[in-house]
């Protein structure tokens, strides 16, 4: 399971992350609310452990923002705010469980495992559509105007990411991280090469292109204006 710990107390963050890693979980740590929110939106985590009193963006606002954005991963609040009103406020903000500091690690693990056993709450769309371009995520198929388009696995993943962010500017760094799992610049033209291939397959035989280069920024896939 991939867990994100959003905790500004370095000792607590180390304690929790080390323990979860020893149990075989992948753990990312954010020391403030802004970084936590960014990672929670982009990181594909299965569960979040969130402190309430965070610099930048507080824990309640972080979770409310995630829920408003449609992110349904379980959230466990881990906080010193242990009053009844505090607990109610946390759960009403979108938290799924609430654990007050100081805490026993064994109880934290039990709560994490209980949340992990719940049926998935996140939205799981089975298809994506931008204008006349359609992607079936179950059948792993793509078509435009009803015409099937054959894609290689990496091309499919690249197009899926672009379609999930339709109308947004997607940078080269974002594509390297999210499509190739590169967290460094490999100094190759791998992104440009795949974008070019994708254009040939998606746009070449149609009047209106969907994949656009945003000069100096990256790429954007969107419907014709």
């Amino acid at each position: 399971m991939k867990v994100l710990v959003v905790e500004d107390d370095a000792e607590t963050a180390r304690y929790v992350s080390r323990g979860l890693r020893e149990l075989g979980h992948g753990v990312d740590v954010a020391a403030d609310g802004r970084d936590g929110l960014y990672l929670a939106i982009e990181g594909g985590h299965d569960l979040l452990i969130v402190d309430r009193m965070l610099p930048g963006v507080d824990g309640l606002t972080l979770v409310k923002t995630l829920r408003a954005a449609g992110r349904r991963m379980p959230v466990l609040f881990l906080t010193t705010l242990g009053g009844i009103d505090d607990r109610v406020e946390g759960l009403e903000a979108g938290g799924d469980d609430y654990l007050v500091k100081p805490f026993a690690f064994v109880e934290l693990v039990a709560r994490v495992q209980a949340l992990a056993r719940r049926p998935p709450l996140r939205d799981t769309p089975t298809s994506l559509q931008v204008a006349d371009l359609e992607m079936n995520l179950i059948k792993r198929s793509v078509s435009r105007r009803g015409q099937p388009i054959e894609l290689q696995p990496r091309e499919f993943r690249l197009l899926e990411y672009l379609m999930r962010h339709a109308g947004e500017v997607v940078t080269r760094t974002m594509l390297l991280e999210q499509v190739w799992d590169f967290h460094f610049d490999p100094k190759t033209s791998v992104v440009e090469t795949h974008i070019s291939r994708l254009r040939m397959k998606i746009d070449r035989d149609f009047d209106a292109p969907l994949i656009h280069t945003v000069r100096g920024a990256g790429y954007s896939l969107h419907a014709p204006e």
Side-chain angles (χ1 to χ4, degrees):
M1 186 162 57
K2 188 175 181 181
V3 180
L4 173 62
V5 178
V6 189
E7 172 62 72
D8 63 329
D9 181 77
E11 185 176 348
T12 301
R14 258 195 314 274
Y15 176 64
V16 172
S17 60
R18 185 176 60 236
L20 291 175
R21 287 183 182 120
E22 287 174 351
L23 293 173
H25 299 297
V27 183
D28 291 326
V29 176
D32 64 63
R34 291 188 192 282
D35 287 348
L37 181 58
Y38 173 79
L39 287 174
I41 290 176
E42 299 293 336
H45 298 90
D46 301 299
L47 184 141
L48 270 58
I49 298 174
V50 180
D51 189 10
R52 282 194 50 175
M53 295 186 293
L54 294 165
V57 175
D58 67 86
L60 285 184
T61 301
L62 186 156
V63 175
K64 287 179 181 176
T65 303
L66 284 177
R67 297 309 190 216
R71 301 301 196 271
R72 303 299 179 204
M73 72 283 275
V75 174
L76 168 64
F77 277 113
L78 182 61
T79 175
T80 57
L81 300 176
I84 297 296
D85 290 343
D86 296 320
R87 294 168 186 261
V88 170
E89 195 174 28
L91 296 174
E92 289 184 343
D96 298 280
D97 200 356
Y98 203 98
L99 182 59
V100 178
K101 301 175 184 174
F103 61 97
F105 184 73
V106 64
E107 183 180 2
L108 173 70
V109 171
R111 290 172 183 260
V112 165
Q113 290 175 338
L115 290 173
R117 287 195 294 269
R118 291 185 180 180
L121 295 177
R122 67 180 65 186
D123 296 332
T124 54
T126 58
S127 64
L128 301 172
Q129 180 166 5
V130 178
D132 53 5
L133 177 65
E134 297 181 64
M135 172 178 281
N136 187 309
L137 297 170
I138 304 298
K139 297 180 179 177
R140 310 292 288 176
S141 63
V142 174
S143 65
R144 184 167 181 188
R145 209 174 297 166
Q147 179 178 323
I149 297 172
E150 296 295 327
L151 297 181
Q152 297 297 315
R154 188 74 71 180
E155 294 167 348
F156 188 94
R157 191 171 171 185
L158 173 59
L159 181 61
E160 179 184 354
Y161 187 81
L162 292 170
M163 292 182 75
R164 287 186 184 277
H165 295 80
E168 303 174 15
V169 175
V170 175
T171 68
R172 185 173 183 275
T173 298
M174 292 164 67
L175 293 175
L176 285 171
E177 290 183 352
Q178 300 299 322
V179 179
W180 279 268
D181 295 323
F182 286 162
H183 295 278
F184 60 95
D185 189 342
K187 305 296 183 186
T188 70
S189 60
V190 62
V191 173
E192 292 78 5
T193 299
H194 279 75
I195 288 286
S196 177
R197 289 179 185 166
L198 209 49
R199 278 182 162 138
M200 292 286 287
K201 296 182 177 181
I202 299 299
D203 286 339
R204 183 183 58 183
D205 296 330
F206 300 90
D207 297 333
L210 300 178
I211 300 174
H212 304 268
T213 298
V214 181
R215 188 178 297 276
Y219 304 94
S220 177
L221 186 148
H222 57 78
E225 297 177 352

